[in-house]
Amino acid sequence: MTTHSPAQPLTTSDGATEVLAPQAAEETLDALPLLDARLLAKTIAPELALRGHYLALTDGSETRLLRIDTGIIHLGRGPSAGIRFDDHRVSRDHAILVHQCGHLRLLDNRSSNGTFVNGRRISATNVWSGDIIDLGPVRMHLLEVR
């Protein structure tokens, strides 16, 4: 999947306004094929999900759910990450997901390519069911099953 930046207005030194062409498309990658094999085995089909919070990971038209347990989960490509993605644009310790008292908070951990929620770069924010989370180019969705 690719996304495009909208055209950006630019004011030149003589006060005229020009519209720049959109920058090159930014690639967005499906998270499921990049997921660590150990965690891939723990994903479930959406119809099997019990109550709780999940990350919805896709690969084309296939969607699998990964349960988010209570506590602190590190997301990244490093060996110590609790949720590990195999892509060099994901930092070793990219972001931290904190699940406490039924609420979720996502924190960027000084990643190189940023952490985004619904297209907005974040340093820390609460996340809710339906939010789109991007770790650099890797995209997933947050889902709450009630």
Side-chain angles (χ1 to χ4, degrees):
M1 171 190 247
T2 57
T3 57
H4 300 279
S5 303
Q8 300 285 329
L10 172 71
T11 303
T12 61
S13 59
D14 63 357
T17 301
E18 298 177 13
V19 177
L20 298 177
Q23 296 180 355
E26 296 176 20
E27 182 182 21
T28 306
L29 303 175
D30 289 340
L32 191 59
L34 302 172
L35 191 63
D36 178 79
R38 164 184 60 88
L39 284 175
L40 186 58
K42 293 183 178 183
T43 63
I44 61 169
E47 59 271 9
L48 300 176
L50 301 174
R51 288 180 55 147
H53 289 96
Y54 296 87
L55 285 176
L57 311 166
T58 60
D59 183 10
S61 62
E62 180 185 11
T63 299
R64 303 283 294 174
L65 302 181
L66 182 62
R67 186 173 182 86
I68 300 170
D69 294 320
T70 301
I72 298 171
I73 304 166
H74 291 261
L75 296 93
R77 71 174 159 80
S80 64
I83 299 178
R84 187 169 177 266
F85 297 100
D86 187 22
D87 188 277
H88 70 279
R89 293 166 290 184
V90 174
S91 297
R92 286 184 186 98
D93 195 5
H94 197 104
I96 301 167
L97 188 60
V98 181
H99 183 209
Q100 188 173 27
C101 300
H103 300 288
L104 291 167
R105 186 154 181 86
L106 182 65
L107 302 96
D108 181 72
N109 198 21
R110 298 172 294 167
S111 64
S112 299
N113 291 315
T115 301
F116 299 81
V117 174
N118 299 325
R120 192 181 101 246
R121 189 171 189 152
I122 60 104
S123 57
T125 190
N126 291 331
V127 287
W128 309 97
S129 185
D131 283 347
I132 299 169
I133 299 171
D134 295 325
L135 303 182
V138 178
R139 176 163 287 174
M140 62 202 101
H141 295 81
L142 185 63
L143 176 67
E144 182 180 4
V145 176
R146 296 178 185 214

